[in-house]
Amino acid sequence: MASPRSGSAIWWGDLQSGKGDLTVGDGVFMGEYSFKSRFEEGEGTNPEELIAAAHAACFAMAFSNILATNGHTPEEVNAGARVSLQEVDGAPTIARIALKVHGEVPGIDESTYQDLAEQAKKDCPVSRALASVPEITLEAKLNS
């Protein structure tokens, strides 16, 4: 297995008027974040977007692997995720993640495609890490 992966963040000021910078890995991505970028529609990124990107990337790899392992090497797996932050019991909570995938997979039938997509959703390490999220949905479309 690979060595542990890293990320870092720094925050200046109070929650509502402060701001921060975050780094993924050793600088592969750096971005600003703020109260407005997280809880409103301000400029910058936020932890939920990073979780969405991580989940989409992990799922795409897991799905590609499970397809190929079952004799259906994909030409393309295009995955996305939308993370919904909602107030639950008075606290901001990741309450829902909607995964969406479009795949180009020669020679596979719709039923097998759907079954393998569900299996990949269940087995992807990020899905497993996010198991406490109350709802993780999957919309899988096989491109013809």
Short mmCIF file of all heavy atoms in Angstrom, two decimals, residues 1-36:
data_model
loop_
_atom_site.label_atom_id
_atom_site.label_comp_id
_atom_site.label_asym_id
_atom_site.label_seq_id
_atom_site.Cartn_x
_atom_site.Cartn_y
_atom_site.Cartn_z
N MET A 1 0.84 -1.19 0.00
CA MET A 1 0.00 0.00 0.00
C MET A 1 0.88 1.25 0.00
O MET A 1 2.00 1.24 0.49
CB MET A 1 -0.89 0.01 1.24
CG MET A 1 -2.08 -0.90 1.16
SD MET A 1 -3.38 -0.11 0.20
CE MET A 1 -3.96 -1.44 -0.77
N ALA A 2 0.33 2.32 -0.49
CA ALA A 2 1.03 3.60 -0.56
C ALA A 2 1.16 4.19 0.84
O ALA A 2 0.44 3.83 1.77
CB ALA A 2 0.25 4.57 -1.44
N SER A 3 2.10 5.10 0.98
CA SER A 3 2.29 5.80 2.25
C SER A 3 1.08 6.69 2.53
O SER A 3 0.31 7.00 1.61
CB SER A 3 3.56 6.63 2.21
OG SER A 3 3.47 7.60 1.18
N PRO A 4 0.89 7.11 3.77
CA PRO A 4 -0.25 7.99 4.08
C PRO A 4 -0.23 9.25 3.22
O PRO A 4 0.83 9.79 2.91
CB PRO A 4 -0.03 8.33 5.56
CG PRO A 4 0.78 7.20 6.10
CD PRO A 4 1.67 6.79 4.95
N ARG A 5 -1.41 9.70 2.83
CA ARG A 5 -1.56 10.91 2.03
C ARG A 5 -1.81 12.10 2.95
O ARG A 5 -2.25 11.93 4.08
CB ARG A 5 -2.73 10.76 1.05
CG ARG A 5 -2.62 9.55 0.15
CD ARG A 5 -1.32 9.54 -0.61
NE ARG A 5 -1.33 8.44 -1.57
CZ ARG A 5 -0.26 8.06 -2.24
NH1 ARG A 5 0.89 8.67 -2.04
NH2 ARG A 5 -0.33 7.09 -3.10
N SER A 6 -1.55 13.30 2.46
CA SER A 6 -1.64 14.45 3.35
C SER A 6 -2.39 15.62 2.73
O SER A 6 -2.56 15.71 1.52
CB SER A 6 -0.23 14.92 3.75
OG SER A 6 0.45 15.39 2.60
N GLY A 7 -2.82 16.47 3.58
CA GLY A 7 -3.43 17.74 3.23
C GLY A 7 -3.21 18.66 4.41
O GLY A 7 -2.96 18.21 5.53
N SER A 8 -3.28 19.95 4.18
CA SER A 8 -3.10 20.90 5.28
C SER A 8 -3.96 22.13 5.04
O SER A 8 -4.39 22.40 3.92
CB SER A 8 -1.63 21.29 5.43
OG SER A 8 -1.17 21.91 4.24
N ALA A 9 -4.23 22.83 6.12
CA ALA A 9 -5.02 24.06 6.04
C ALA A 9 -4.59 25.01 7.14
O ALA A 9 -4.11 24.60 8.19
CB ALA A 9 -6.51 23.73 6.18
N ILE A 10 -4.76 26.27 6.86
CA ILE A 10 -4.53 27.32 7.85
C ILE A 10 -5.73 28.25 7.79
O ILE A 10 -6.31 28.48 6.72
CB ILE A 10 -3.20 28.06 7.58
CG1 ILE A 10 -2.89 29.05 8.70
CG2 ILE A 10 -3.19 28.72 6.22
CD1 ILE A 10 -1.48 29.60 8.68
N TRP A 11 -6.12 28.76 8.95
CA TRP A 11 -7.28 29.66 9.05
C TRP A 11 -6.87 30.88 9.84
O TRP A 11 -6.21 30.78 10.86
CB TRP A 11 -8.43 28.94 9.77
CG TRP A 11 -9.69 29.74 9.78
CD1 TRP A 11 -10.14 30.53 10.79
CD2 TRP A 11 -10.64 29.85 8.73
NE1 TRP A 11 -11.33 31.14 10.44
CE2 TRP A 11 -11.65 30.71 9.17
CE3 TRP A 11 -10.76 29.29 7.46
CZ2 TRP A 11 -12.75 31.04 8.38
CZ3 TRP A 11 -11.85 29.62 6.69
CH2 TRP A 11 -12.83 30.48 7.15
N TRP A 12 -7.27 32.06 9.35
CA TRP A 12 -7.00 33.31 10.04
C TRP A 12 -8.32 33.97 10.42
O TRP A 12 -9.20 34.14 9.58
CB TRP A 12 -6.23 34.28 9.14
CG TRP A 12 -4.89 33.77 8.70
CD1 TRP A 12 -3.74 33.78 9.41
CD2 TRP A 12 -4.57 33.18 7.44
NE1 TRP A 12 -2.73 33.24 8.67
CE2 TRP A 12 -3.22 32.86 7.45
CE3 TRP A 12 -5.32 32.88 6.29
CZ2 TRP A 12 -2.56 32.27 6.38
CZ3 TRP A 12 -4.68 32.29 5.22
CH2 TRP A 12 -3.32 31.99 5.27
N GLY A 13 -8.46 34.34 11.66
CA GLY A 13 -9.62 35.10 12.10
C GLY A 13 -10.75 34.24 12.63
O GLY A 13 -10.60 33.04 12.84
N ASP A 14 -11.90 34.89 12.83
CA ASP A 14 -13.07 34.16 13.34
C ASP A 14 -13.78 33.44 12.19
O ASP A 14 -13.39 33.55 11.03
CB ASP A 14 -14.02 35.10 14.09
CG ASP A 14 -14.66 36.16 13.20
OD1 ASP A 14 -14.71 35.98 11.96
OD2 ASP A 14 -15.15 37.17 13.73
N LEU A 15 -14.82 32.69 12.51
CA LEU A 15 -15.50 31.87 11.51
C LEU A 15 -16.09 32.68 10.37
O LEU A 15 -15.85 32.39 9.20
CB LEU A 15 -16.59 31.01 12.16
CG LEU A 15 -17.41 30.16 11.20
CD1 LEU A 15 -16.54 29.14 10.49
CD2 LEU A 15 -18.57 29.50 11.92
N GLN A 16 -16.87 33.71 10.67
CA GLN A 16 -17.61 34.39 9.62
C GLN A 16 -16.80 35.39 8.81
O GLN A 16 -17.06 35.57 7.63
CB GLN A 16 -18.85 35.05 10.20
CG GLN A 16 -19.83 33.97 10.64
CD GLN A 16 -21.25 34.48 10.73
OE1 GLN A 16 -21.55 35.62 10.44
NE2 GLN A 16 -22.14 33.60 11.14
N SER A 17 -15.83 36.04 9.42
CA SER A 17 -15.06 37.03 8.64
C SER A 17 -13.65 36.56 8.34
O SER A 17 -12.92 37.24 7.62
CB SER A 17 -15.01 38.37 9.39
OG SER A 17 -14.33 38.21 10.62
N GLY A 18 -13.27 35.40 8.83
CA GLY A 18 -11.93 34.88 8.58
C GLY A 18 -11.79 34.30 7.19
O GLY A 18 -12.72 34.33 6.37
N LYS A 19 -10.61 33.77 6.92
CA LYS A 19 -10.34 33.12 5.65
C LYS A 19 -9.23 32.11 5.85
O LYS A 19 -8.52 32.13 6.85
CB LYS A 19 -9.94 34.13 4.58
CG LYS A 19 -8.63 34.84 4.86
CD LYS A 19 -8.28 35.80 3.76
CE LYS A 19 -6.91 36.43 4.08
NZ LYS A 19 -6.41 37.22 2.98
N GLY A 20 -9.10 31.23 4.87
CA GLY A 20 -8.09 30.20 4.99
C GLY A 20 -7.50 29.81 3.65
O GLY A 20 -8.01 30.17 2.59
N ASP A 21 -6.41 29.07 3.73
CA ASP A 21 -5.77 28.46 2.57
C ASP A 21 -5.61 26.98 2.86
O ASP A 21 -5.31 26.59 3.99
CB ASP A 21 -4.37 29.05 2.33
CG ASP A 21 -4.40 30.47 1.80
OD1 ASP A 21 -5.37 30.84 1.11
OD2 ASP A 21 -3.45 31.22 2.09
N LEU A 22 -5.80 26.16 1.83
CA LEU A 22 -5.61 24.73 2.00
C LEU A 22 -4.71 24.21 0.90
O LEU A 22 -4.59 24.79 -0.17
CB LEU A 22 -6.95 24.00 2.02
CG LEU A 22 -7.86 24.10 0.81
CD1 LEU A 22 -7.49 23.09 -0.27
CD2 LEU A 22 -9.29 23.90 1.23
N THR A 23 -4.07 23.10 1.21
CA THR A 23 -3.15 22.46 0.29
C THR A 23 -3.43 20.97 0.26
O THR A 23 -3.60 20.35 1.32
CB THR A 23 -1.68 22.69 0.72
OG1 THR A 23 -1.44 24.10 0.81
CG2 THR A 23 -0.70 22.07 -0.25
N VAL A 24 -3.49 20.40 -0.93
CA VAL A 24 -3.64 18.97 -1.10
C VAL A 24 -2.27 18.41 -1.42
O VAL A 24 -1.57 18.92 -2.30
CB VAL A 24 -4.63 18.65 -2.25
CG1 VAL A 24 -4.68 17.15 -2.52
CG2 VAL A 24 -6.01 19.19 -1.92
N GLY A 25 -1.88 17.38 -0.68
CA GLY A 25 -0.57 16.76 -0.89
C GLY A 25 0.54 17.77 -0.66
O GLY A 25 0.46 18.62 0.22
N ASP A 26 1.56 17.67 -1.50
CA ASP A 26 2.70 18.59 -1.40
C ASP A 26 2.55 19.75 -2.38
O ASP A 26 3.49 20.14 -3.05
CB ASP A 26 4.01 17.84 -1.65
CG ASP A 26 4.34 16.88 -0.54
OD1 ASP A 26 4.04 17.20 0.63
OD2 ASP A 26 4.89 15.80 -0.83
N GLY A 27 1.32 20.27 -2.49
CA GLY A 27 1.09 21.43 -3.34
C GLY A 27 0.48 21.12 -4.69
O GLY A 27 0.43 21.99 -5.55
N VAL A 28 -0.02 19.89 -4.88
CA VAL A 28 -0.64 19.55 -6.16
C VAL A 28 -1.88 20.42 -6.41
O VAL A 28 -2.22 20.72 -7.55
CB VAL A 28 -0.96 18.04 -6.24
CG1 VAL A 28 -2.09 17.65 -5.32
CG2 VAL A 28 -1.24 17.61 -7.65
N PHE A 29 -2.56 20.83 -5.34
CA PHE A 29 -3.67 21.77 -5.44
C PHE A 29 -3.62 22.67 -4.21
O PHE A 29 -3.41 22.19 -3.09
CB PHE A 29 -5.03 21.06 -5.47
CG PHE A 29 -6.19 22.01 -5.37
CD1 PHE A 29 -6.63 22.73 -6.48
CD2 PHE A 29 -6.82 22.24 -4.15
CE1 PHE A 29 -7.68 23.64 -6.36
CE2 PHE A 29 -7.88 23.14 -4.04
CZ PHE A 29 -8.30 23.83 -5.15
N MET A 30 -3.78 23.96 -4.44
CA MET A 30 -3.86 24.91 -3.33
C MET A 30 -5.05 25.83 -3.62
O MET A 30 -5.30 26.18 -4.78
CB MET A 30 -2.58 25.71 -3.20
CG MET A 30 -1.39 24.80 -2.88
SD MET A 30 0.19 25.56 -2.48
CE MET A 30 0.38 26.87 -3.59
N GLY A 31 -5.79 26.17 -2.57
CA GLY A 31 -6.94 27.04 -2.77
C GLY A 31 -7.31 27.79 -1.52
O GLY A 31 -6.93 27.43 -0.41
N GLU A 32 -8.07 28.85 -1.73
CA GLU A 32 -8.59 29.64 -0.63
C GLU A 32 -9.97 29.13 -0.25
O GLU A 32 -10.70 28.61 -1.10
CB GLU A 32 -8.69 31.10 -1.05
CG GLU A 32 -7.37 31.74 -1.36
CD GLU A 32 -7.52 33.18 -1.82
OE1 GLU A 32 -8.66 33.67 -1.98
OE2 GLU A 32 -6.48 33.82 -2.04
N TYR A 33 -10.33 29.31 1.01
CA TYR A 33 -11.68 28.99 1.45
C TYR A 33 -12.09 29.97 2.52
O TYR A 33 -11.26 30.64 3.13
CB TYR A 33 -11.80 27.53 1.90
CG TYR A 33 -11.07 27.14 3.17
CD1 TYR A 33 -11.79 26.76 4.29
CD2 TYR A 33 -9.69 27.14 3.26
CE1 TYR A 33 -11.15 26.38 5.46
CE2 TYR A 33 -9.04 26.76 4.42
CZ TYR A 33 -9.77 26.38 5.52
OH TYR A 33 -9.14 26.00 6.68
N SER A 34 -13.43 30.10 2.70
CA SER A 34 -13.96 31.07 3.64
C SER A 34 -15.35 30.63 4.08
O SER A 34 -15.90 29.66 3.56
CB SER A 34 -14.05 32.45 2.97
OG SER A 34 -15.03 32.42 1.94
N PHE A 35 -15.91 31.36 5.02
CA PHE A 35 -17.29 31.11 5.43
C PHE A 35 -18.22 31.21 4.21
O PHE A 35 -19.08 30.36 4.00
CB PHE A 35 -17.70 32.12 6.51
CG PHE A 35 -19.11 31.93 7.00
CD1 PHE A 35 -19.38 31.08 8.06
CD2 PHE A 35 -20.17 32.59 6.40
CE1 PHE A 35 -20.68 30.89 8.51
CE2 PHE A 35 -21.47 32.42 6.84
CZ PHE A 35 -21.73 31.56 7.90
N LYS A 36 -18.00 32.25 3.40
CA LYS A 36 -18.87 32.46 2.23
C LYS A 36 -18.72 31.34 1.20
O LYS A 36 -19.71 30.93 0.59
CB LYS A 36 -18.60 33.82 1.60
CG LYS A 36 -19.14 34.96 2.43
CD LYS A 36 -18.95 36.29 1.74
CE LYS A 36 -19.56 37.37 2.64
NZ LYS A 36 -19.62 38.66 2.00
#
